[in-house]
Amino acid sequence: MLKKRFYPFLLFLLVILLLAAELLSPGFVRPRHLGVVLRQAAFLGFVGVGQTLVILSGGIDLSVGSLVTAGNIFTCELLGRNPDLSPPLVLIPLLVMGVLIGMINGLGITMLHIPPLIMTFAMGSIVDGMTLIYCGGSAAGYATPPIQYLGSKLLFGVIPVNFLLWMILLGGSTFLLNRTTFGRKLFAVGTNEIAAYVSGVNVKKVKIYTYGLSGLCAIFAGMILAGYTQTGFLGIGNEYTLSSIAATVIGGTAITGGKGGEIGTAIGALILIIIQSILTVLRIPESGRKIVEGLVILLLINAYFERGKK
């Protein structure tokens, strides 16, 4: 588990970024605008919840971006073509699909011994192909009002509905990690897979379930994102693959597994979104944004390890 003394450091950095954003763009910290920022962070936060679980287990999931796109496209296509359908009749099968695709990742990694990097990258490519076949190479359809409400509504003009959903998912995942047997097994597998196996942990089952949860979070993010975009967009999930890893690492989760937590990832997601907002205000091109994002990750990883030595 991540040392709690790292959280104040992340929160301090978050406050500094907010102050900097306010100086550069007066009004940035107004409640309504912060609500918009939280809404953007929530989409990354959904994916980050699942990515954190996978990285804690000692793996990585490069298929999440493709699943976000699939969730976005399938939701708009199915609801747009069948507006009389009840949303749960569409959303529940999609969630099951996300779990199954994630579990296939886990099966390939544990049963066929395919490295996580290769297995999840290949699965992402397969999901992209499936999505293209389904939509015929051109996204169409639209999100119905209930989905739009979940993806874009600001309660009282301030609190995003998707942020509340993120907090529920975050709370459930934190409880899973810190208060259940599965969570303890997950940390054990990430810390030392061989030692966990010798002590009686079913390592394969833990990893399969973990990748299943990651798939669930990613496709759920795409479904809620459909309510924000209101129509499907091919490739809309691409940015979430590396961003979810970045948020997890910025939040203090060890890339080698076994140490970290969901709270840190949530703060990391907020930090990334605020940095992106600042760079937008400064009119920094995409190339410059990528460079800054990489430097921030390197600096925070260094800060994490330096604090860990104390």
Side-chain angles (χ1 to χ4, degrees):
M1 188 179 299
L2 179 66
K3 293 182 179 180
K4 291 183 179 180
R5 63 184 179 181
F6 190 62
Y7 292 146
F9 169 72
L10 289 175
L11 289 172
F12 175 74
L13 177 60
L14 186 61
V15 171
I16 293 298
L17 288 172
L18 284 171
L19 291 174
E22 177 65 20
L23 289 173
L24 293 169
S25 178
F28 189 94
V29 297
R30 289 178 181 173
R32 185 173 182 82
H33 187 267
L34 285 180
V36 174
V37 172
L38 292 177
R39 184 171 58 193
Q40 293 298 113
F43 298 121
L44 175 57
F46 292 139
V47 186
V49 166
Q51 189 72 261
T52 299
L53 295 175
V54 169
I55 292 178
L56 282 173
S57 73
I60 198 165
D61 192 349
L62 299 184
S63 67
V64 292
S66 299
L67 282 169
V68 171
T69 298
N72 176 265
I73 297 291
F74 277 79
T75 298
C76 292
E77 288 275 348
L78 291 170
L79 290 177
R81 292 178 179 178
N82 308 280
D84 295 331
L85 279 179
S86 174
L89 293 178
V90 173
L91 303 185
I92 292 176
L94 284 179
L95 291 173
V96 172
M97 183 180 80
V99 173
L100 291 176
I101 290 174
M103 293 181 75
I104 291 173
N105 275 330
L107 286 167
I109 292 165
T110 58
M111 301 298 187
L112 302 179
H113 306 291
I114 301 173
L117 196 70
I118 297 174
M119 181 66 209
T120 58
F121 179 79
M123 182 54 67
S125 181
I126 292 171
V127 172
D128 283 338
M130 291 168 51
T131 304
L132 282 170
I133 291 172
Y134 180 78
C135 69
S138 177
Y142 59 89
T144 52
I147 302 300
Q148 293 180 28
Y149 180 88
L150 296 176
S152 59
K153 178 67 174 178
L154 291 174
L155 297 177
F156 312 110
V158 177
I159 306 172
V161 172
N162 72 338
F163 173 76
L164 297 179
L165 293 175
W166 178 26
M167 291 298 100
I168 292 172
L169 186 62
L170 181 66
S173 182
T174 301
F175 179 84
L176 180 71
L177 282 175
N178 300 323
R179 294 290 185 269
T180 68
T181 301
F182 178 81
R184 289 191 289 273
K185 290 179 179 179
L186 179 60
F187 276 112
V189 170
T191 301
N192 191 317
E193 187 174 317
I194 296 176
Y197 175 79
V198 171
S199 64
V201 175
N202 190 328
V203 174
K204 291 182 179 179
K205 184 180 292 187
V206 169
K207 287 192 172 185
I208 291 170
Y209 287 167
T210 300
Y211 278 93
L213 289 171
S214 179
L216 173 69
C217 292
I219 207 156
F220 179 71
M223 290 159 48
I224 304 302
L225 185 60
Y228 177 68
T229 60
Q230 300 186 21
T231 188
F233 287 95
L234 288 169
I236 195 170
N238 292 348
E239 64 180 277
Y240 290 100
T241 300
L242 294 182
S243 292
S244 64
I245 297 171
T248 302
V249 174
I250 286 173
T253 296
I255 197 69
T256 52
K259 294 181 180 179
E262 296 285 11
I263 303 300
T265 299
I267 302 174
L270 289 169
I271 287 173
L272 274 181
I273 294 300
I274 293 172
I275 288 175
Q276 290 172 8
S277 297
I278 291 174
L279 295 177
T280 299
V281 170
L282 295 175
R283 298 181 181 180
I284 303 296
E286 184 65 20
S287 56
R289 295 184 189 186
K290 294 297 181 183
I291 292 172
V292 172
E293 185 175 296
L295 289 173
V296 168
I297 293 171
L298 289 174
L299 289 172
L300 287 174
I301 290 176
N302 180 69
Y304 170 67
F305 281 113
E306 287 299 322
R307 282 174 167 266
K309 294 176 183 178
K310 296 179 181 180

